[in-house]
Amino acid sequence: GAAVKRAIQKASPSPRRQFILIRWAQKAAGALVGVATAAFLMFYQWVVEPAPPHSLRVKAFAALTQGVLRGAMLTFFASASDFTRRLTSVEANAKFARLDAGPEEDWEATPADFRAVVTHIKEKFGIRYVYCWHGLPAYWGGVMPGTPSMAGVTGSSLVYPKPTASIAEVEPSLMWSPAVLAGVGVADNPGALYSAMHAYLAAAAVDGVKVDCQAGVGLVGSALGGGPAAARQFQAALEDSIAAHFPGNHAINCMCHSSENFYRFSRTAVARVSDDYYPRDPASSTPHIGACAFNSLYMGALVQPDWDMFQSAHPAGVLHGMARAVSGGAVYVSDKPGQHDFDLLRRLVLPDGAVLRALLPGRPTRDCLFADVLRDRQTLLKVWNANPVVGLVGVFNLQGASWDRNRRKFHVHDKRGQTLTTNISPADVESFRPSAAAAAAAAGDDGVSGGDSGASGSSRWAG
């Protein structure tokens, strides 16, 4: 017995040695996880992302994310993004509860006074309007089912949408997106949901809302009998609530490029016409402006185009500032505190906060309509607009970067840069052109010529 015990003690490592072994094991495990993660990301970027939409690689990966990879994908989404999070209350959490609130606050025990926060912002900085953000499904992941604080507002059910074949062809990654893998909590009564949210915000001196991720409701509709029907229900409920709680139609629609969304706008007028503004992705700066101009050609007949925020001190800040000046939309920035280009801002905004906004949506001139202003290395984008007595033409060199369908990201394909030239004339401003009927009459022709179609200003766009 004693000899055996001494032998065991001698063979057992000391506490210090045990500690060292455990630390080395942890480091080895961490290294293995890191190597595995890096290998997976490289596999995804080099094998899955470039694969054609209907390829075996895409189909196999989609099947794996519904099986053995589903848990790992959900863990990644939960740790790296907000897209799987769901609304648990219509009231502000403790981060916004009072003026000195911080991220370490006890959310449950802190009494909320969101109105005091909003009022302080308005009074201290002379802010006239404060908007709050929310999604059309409430939050990115919808409404959390079974949440006690939502019991008196609306119930919700978890649904797992499926992208349509056409959408999956354009963006295959939607087949393993957070909404598809984690599901979305869909409100049973969207009207009651929006009314509760907006009543709370209005009582806190909030003046309006920016309603994001709208096209996601159409995606969710794939599990509810159809996207158009779901979009119709949610858009109608949203606009009813905005009309009731935010007089003056204070709303910005966002991520709403699906026709099942913007064809349902009956009262709200403003809509973002771009992808997100990505300040940390230099390759996205020029495509953002091109997308806004060309999307305004179509959406400008239906909505007041919003070209999104930008950062004034960004290397592309002047370019974006010029684009906002000719856009006919609002001018607003997402500058970090203390990081501003005031010289640029003073060129865009008058001392009283007003902007010299043109009457119409900014749209490409005729000679740009069928040219590739991002990739053909020869065409400058010209955007025209008009005021009551003058015309406006902005000229932009956007060549060199674009969305790459194979890489599925913005890509700088020409780093050389080059000086380009173009012609500018009053005829670039459509409202300066004679109407088709007037041109035909001047030519002595009873028919209507298709050569020059005019677009006169409308008071709808004046602000």
Side-chain angles (χ1 to χ4, degrees), residues 294 297 364-373 376 378-379 381:
F294 280 89
L297 180 67
T365 57
R366 292 188 178 206
D367 53 342
C368 295
L369 287 179
F370 298 101
D372 190 339
V373 299
D376 69 9
Q378 61 183 7
T379 306
L381 171 67

Side-chain angles (χ1 to χ4, degrees), residues 183-383:
V184 177
V186 179
D188 300 333
N189 188 341
L193 170 65
Y194 298 140
S195 182
M197 294 172 66
H198 296 164
Y200 169 78
L201 294 174
V206 172
D207 303 285
V209 288
K210 181 173 183 176
V211 187
D212 206 346
C213 48
Q214 295 194 13
V217 170
L219 175 64
V220 169
S222 65
L224 298 174
R232 179 175 62 246
Q233 179 187 14
F234 276 77
Q235 292 294 166
L238 174 70
E239 294 197 336
D240 286 345
S241 181
I242 289 171
H245 297 99
F246 301 120
N249 204 15
H250 285 277
I252 301 173
N253 295 289
C254 186
M255 283 183 64
C256 54
H257 288 191
S258 173
S259 58
E260 59 200 20
N261 290 108
F262 62 73
Y263 280 168
R264 301 299 180 185
F265 296 163
S266 61
R267 281 168 285 181
T268 56
V270 180
R272 195 183 76 179
V273 292
S274 68
D275 193 0
D276 290 355
Y277 170 71
Y278 300 107
R280 290 188 291 270
D281 185 358
S284 70
S285 288
T286 50
H288 181 107
I289 296 171
C292 286
F294 280 89
N295 287 344
S296 294
L297 180 67
Y298 176 47
M299 295 185 68
L302 303 169
V303 300
Q304 169 62 58
D306 169 24
W307 288 32
D308 205 9
M309 63 195 75
F310 71 101
Q311 293 182 350
S312 64
H314 190 271
V318 173
L319 184 71
H320 276 270
M322 290 176 59
R324 302 313 184 276
V326 74
S327 73
V331 176
Y332 54 112
V333 295
S334 55
D335 289 353
K336 295 180 180 179
Q339 297 183 21
H340 317 283
D341 184 342
F342 287 109
D343 290 337
L344 172 60
L345 295 174
R346 291 188 185 100
R347 293 163 64 186
L348 291 170
V349 184
L350 299 177
D352 64 353
V355 296
L356 299 175
R357 187 160 66 89
L359 291 175
L360 302 169
R363 288 161 288 184
T365 57
R366 292 188 178 206
D367 53 342
C368 295
L369 287 179
F370 298 101
D372 190 339
V373 299
L374 302 178
R375 289 175 292 198
D376 69 9
R377 299 182 179 179
Q378 61 183 7
T379 306
L380 294 170
L381 171 67
K382 295 191 295 182
V383 179

Side-chain angles (χ1 to χ4, degrees), residues 56-147:
L56 179 60
R57 283 176 285 172
V58 167
K59 294 179 180 178
F61 189 79
L64 288 172
T65 59
Q66 293 288 347
V68 296
L69 290 180
R70 186 170 183 271
M73 295 288 286
L74 291 176
T75 300
F76 171 77
F77 290 142
S79 61
S81 73
D82 294 328
F83 296 136
T84 57
R85 298 186 180 185
R86 303 186 179 100
L87 187 74
T88 58
S89 173
V90 299
E91 298 184 4
N93 60 39
K95 291 189 295 183
F96 305 95
R98 61 178 191 273
L99 296 177
D100 59 347
E104 305 302 325
E105 296 290 331
D106 181 355
W107 290 14
E108 299 296 332
T110 304
D113 190 358
F114 188 44
R115 183 180 179 86
V117 177
V118 176
T119 302
H120 174 78
I121 292 173
K122 289 184 173 182
E123 293 177 350
K124 182 174 182 178
F125 300 105
I127 303 298
R128 295 176 59 189
Y129 302 105
V130 172
Y131 280 27
C132 281
W133 177 101
H134 71 79
L136 191 61
Y139 201 61
W140 293 107
V143 179
M144 179 67 75
T147 304

